[in-house]
Amino acid sequence: MVETSDFQSRRARLMNRLHARLAARSRPATAFQSTPEPKMIGHFARGRQLLAGNFLFSGHLIEAPGVNIWDAAARVDTATETAHGFNWLDDLAAVGDNKARVAAQDWMQEWIRRYGTGTGSGWTPDLTGRRLIRWIAHGFFLLRGADKVASEAYFRSAAQQAIFLSRRWKAARAGLPRFEALAGMIYAGLSLQGMEHHVQPAIAMLNRDCKTQIGIDGGISSRNPEELLDILTLLTWVEAALRDAEHPIPEALSSAMHRIAPTLRALRHADGGLARFHGGGRGLDGWLDQALASVGSNEQPTKGLHMGYGRLSAGRTSIVVDVASPPTDASATEAHASTLAMELTSGRRPLIVNCGSGTSFGPEWRRAGRATPSHSTLSIEGVSSSRISVDGSGQELLKDGPEEVQSEFGDVTDGTRLATAHDGYRRSHGLTHVRTLDITADGRALAGEDLLTILNAKDEQRFDKALDAETLQGIPWTVRFHLHPEVEAAVDLGGAAISLTQKSGEIWVFRQDGAQEMRLEPSVYLENGRLRPRASQQVVLSGRSLSYATRIRWSLSKAQDTPIALRDIDDPTALDF
């Protein structure tokens, strides 16, 4: 099994190199036959940083004024995806002046000189699709003022990449990588002369993936909300490109978009950002709004689970809870042990969060971010609700997670309840974790309860054995509530409460009953696009289970509302590495 996995990985890399070099020998396409309107939303401040020589790759800041992006990327081993995908082209296009255009043209031509022959690590189906979409969408930006030699090199390389995609799209992992590869092929087929014959095969494959990779509930197997947004964004781009080319819109494409949209609305917090689970972030500014608007449907999510998440919302408060087992397929390499973890946002300000994905900060942060203690839920000391194990190829898979996860929505006096449970600690300790959340109708108060309990006699035996291992001192547990970095926390009322103050002036008060200790501890907020993790705090409840049932009650109540809205507006041009 191990040897097979290693062999397949080596074979895929070899075949990518082979077909990249074969494609580089062809010389088709000399012009556009049509060009789709750019739909990408770049970041002006990031574009200015690039022009100043400040390059951010996977948490590494390279300060190199006057150096092209490829020399800067060569200094960071993990820079391939950031550089070769050409996402930075969106940011330079957002600046849009002559200096930005010249830099974009120079860096693209340098890529052709260095890697256009099929060399380098950027020749994978997903990166090639991502790169080709941007080359074509920003085609006029890249070619304005260019001489004949540069224009011919651009068209030749774009066509060669399309040919590579036509031969290697099947090697892309199902999900976002394959959607990227197919979208790139469609863009090229619609836009480049001589590439028309690639459109129909790519559409046929895209139709199939829309039916098989997008669930009936509009979810995907990775359960990553940001990845779902990326897929919807790609589908809206493809639909717009087909419409502009007066090409029929496949029904499977439209259906998938209309399934995804209400699911993303369910995973969206009150501030407009996505809930951060299973490696996903909040989503790039403006992309969610644009994608939902492009679908052209205002269908709202129904009451119930969406892609395995439960949502409670009232007033200006939104809560999203992970109420399903982590992914077990290929997505297990990025999955988090976050079952029953919650996030809470009030108005424009996140309050309770999960730490997030530490992938961009290196393997240790990546591993730490996936563990249960990095999420706002209960954990038993030293054990995550799902365990991380390393396979033969060195990939860290999430395994041995909850076998049964339950949830139920209901109405309570002046509010709504979400009752949940999972058995991720049952095999190790005989314990089932039950979490109940009650939110008031005005969204100003949340009452929570975390229960560790035994369900049958066999569980009692497991619990007794685990208790013996602790020399009858009790099973140690903690309930963590990670706070957003902009929340100021302070112990109040002689230790009986903790006050949580937002930058807007809004104050929430946290109280508890059932824990032996309540304290504030340091935490981190892991956010892609930052140079380093942001320091934050966490409220920690701790104690030990000595009996077959341990109950911890806690509450969050709003003590003071946000004052005048001007204090609650961020600077949209700010960029903090």
Side-chain angles (χ1 to χ4, degrees):
M1 178 73 176
V2 171
E3 293 179 358
T4 301
S5 177
D6 288 342
F7 171 76
Q8 289 175 341
S9 297
R10 289 196 300 270
R11 185 177 185 277
R13 290 193 294 269
L14 176 62
M15 294 303 291
N16 283 339
R17 288 198 296 269
L18 173 63
H19 283 286
R21 290 172 182 176
L22 289 174
R25 296 178 181 178
S26 60
R27 297 191 176 270
T30 57
F32 287 124
Q33 60 184 9
S34 68
T35 53
E37 179 186 349
K39 301 290 184 181
M40 302 82 191
I41 300 175
H43 198 300
F44 178 85
R46 278 199 295 262
R48 298 289 292 180
Q49 290 286 344
L50 287 170
L51 294 174
N54 296 321
F55 303 92
L56 186 62
F57 301 118
S58 303
H60 298 273
L61 178 63
I62 304 298
E63 298 179 273
V67 171
N68 73 62
I69 194 171
W70 310 112
D71 288 335
R75 305 180 190 181
V76 181
D77 293 337
T78 55
T80 296
E81 184 168 346
T82 305
H84 287 268
F86 273 69
N87 301 65
W88 48 264
L89 189 54
D90 301 338
D91 301 325
L92 292 183
V95 176
D97 60 16
N98 185 64
K99 183 179 180 181
R101 178 175 56 82
V102 170
Q105 292 174 345
D106 288 348
W107 294 352
M108 180 197 66
Q109 290 295 333
E110 185 64 20
W111 185 91
I112 294 173
R113 284 190 288 271
R114 294 189 185 197
Y115 310 112
T117 57
T119 59
S121 54
W123 285 91
T124 62
D126 54 328
L127 283 178
T128 303
R130 192 184 312 170
R131 179 170 60 245
L132 199 49
I133 289 172
R134 283 161 175 82
W135 276 33
I136 292 171
H138 296 299
F140 290 140
F141 182 66
L142 291 169
L143 294 177
R144 188 181 307 140
D147 60 25
K148 182 179 179 182
V149 173
S151 295
E152 288 179 348
Y154 164 89
F155 283 112
R156 182 169 58 251
S157 181
Q160 290 165 352
Q161 293 175 62
I163 292 171
F164 169 79
L165 279 177
S166 71
R167 296 170 178 171
R168 293 299 294 159
W169 68 265
K170 291 182 181 179
R173 177 176 63 82
L176 178 60
R178 194 150 70 208
F179 279 110
E180 286 184 312
L182 293 172
M185 226 161 91
I186 292 172
Y187 258 62
L190 293 173
S191 303
L192 301 175
Q193 287 184 1
M195 296 288 105
E196 301 90 341
H197 59 287
H198 292 306
V199 175
Q200 281 306 130
I203 288 177
M205 295 303 103
L206 186 70
N207 281 345
R208 188 193 68 176
D209 275 10
C210 283
K211 294 175 181 177
T212 59
Q213 301 299 319
I214 310 299
I216 297 175
D217 68 342
I220 53 177
S221 62
S222 71
R223 300 192 56 238
N224 179 332
E226 189 175 30
E227 184 174 317
L228 184 63
L229 169 59
D230 290 341
I231 290 174
L232 178 61
T233 299
L234 283 171
L235 296 182
T236 63
W237 291 351
V238 168
E239 184 196 44
L242 291 172
R243 186 182 299 110
D244 291 345
E246 298 183 351
H247 197 288
I249 308 299
E251 191 280 332
L253 173 63
S254 298
S255 176
M257 291 166 55
H258 282 80
R259 294 199 304 276
I260 293 173
T263 299
L264 283 175
R265 287 190 173 98
L267 303 179
R268 187 183 199 182
H269 277 300
D271 65 340
L274 288 169
R276 304 186 331 139
F277 286 96
H278 293 293
R282 290 173 44 81
L284 291 173
D285 290 344
W287 284 50
L288 180 54
D289 287 330
Q290 184 190 64
L292 293 175
S294 298
V295 174
S297 168
N298 196 34
E299 182 181 352
Q300 298 300 308
T302 57
K303 192 173 183 178
L305 299 187
H306 296 268
M307 204 167 76
Y309 298 98
R311 175 187 176 88
L312 295 171
S313 62
R316 301 173 65 241
T317 303
S318 65
I319 301 167
V320 179
V321 188
D322 185 351
V323 198
S325 298
T328 56
D329 58 5
S331 303
T333 57
E334 300 296 333
H336 287 210
S338 58
T339 312
L340 302 198
M342 60 169 280
E343 288 197 326
L344 183 151
T345 295
S346 176
R348 291 174 54 88
R349 300 285 177 178
L351 184 71
I352 306 296
V353 298
N354 297 309
C355 290
S357 172
T359 300
S360 63
F361 303 110
E364 292 185 2
W365 278 114
R366 177 178 180 271
R367 192 177 304 114
R370 299 175 69 191
T372 301
S374 293
H375 300 82
S376 293
T377 187
L378 178 145
S379 62
I380 292 178
E381 187 174 307
V383 183
S384 284
S385 57
S386 299
R387 270 58 100 185
I388 295 175
S389 61
V390 181
D391 69 4
S393 63
Q395 294 201 6
E396 296 180 337
L397 305 177
L398 205 63
K399 292 185 176 181
D400 301 325
E403 295 180 356
E404 188 174 0
V405 183
Q406 299 180 357
S407 64
E408 182 179 1
F409 287 88
D411 295 325
V412 294
T413 303
D414 189 34
T416 306
R417 166 173 292 176
L418 174 58
T420 62
H422 81 80
D423 61 355
Y425 300 114
R426 198 170 179 182
R427 287 189 297 274
S428 59
H429 294 79
L431 292 168
T432 294
H433 175 204
V434 181
R435 166 166 275 190
T436 304
L437 302 173
D438 295 347
I439 188 172
T440 56
D442 59 7
R444 294 179 59 86
L446 173 69
E449 178 181 280
D450 286 289
L451 172 67
L452 283 173
T453 188
I454 300 295
L455 296 183
N456 56 42
K458 184 179 291 187
D459 291 342
E460 291 180 2
Q461 296 173 11
R462 290 172 177 165
F463 178 84
D464 292 341
K465 183 177 180 180
L467 192 61
D468 288 342
E470 297 288 343
T471 62
L472 302 181
Q473 298 300 306
I475 307 297
W477 51 261
T478 55
V479 186
R480 301 176 186 273
F481 301 88
H482 295 275
L483 307 176
H484 190 270
E486 294 182 353
V487 176
E488 295 182 5
V491 178
D492 208 350
L493 300 177
I498 293 179
S499 296
L500 310 176
T501 305
Q502 301 274 35
K503 286 184 69 176
S504 62
E506 184 175 89
I507 299 174
W508 289 75
V509 178
F510 184 96
R511 295 180 175 87
Q512 68 88 22
D513 177 28
Q516 279 85 17
E517 185 179 3
M518 177 175 68
R519 62 189 182 276
L520 283 172
E521 290 187 357
S523 181
V524 292
Y525 189 75
L526 304 172
E527 189 175 16
N528 190 29
R530 293 269 179 172
L531 178 58
R532 58 183 64 86
R534 297 174 68 184
S536 63
Q537 292 179 285
Q538 58 179 313
V539 177
V540 180
L541 310 180
S542 61
R544 290 178 175 267
S545 291
L546 291 163
S547 63
Y548 294 154
T550 301
R551 191 183 308 271
I552 311 102
R553 294 188 177 95
W554 50 268
S555 67
L556 267 168
S557 57
K558 192 182 295 187
Q560 182 173 321
D561 251 326
T562 304
I564 301 301
L566 283 177
R567 292 189 60 191
D568 207 22
I569 295 178
D570 293 318
D571 179 3
T573 64
L575 184 67
D576 182 5
F577 283 154

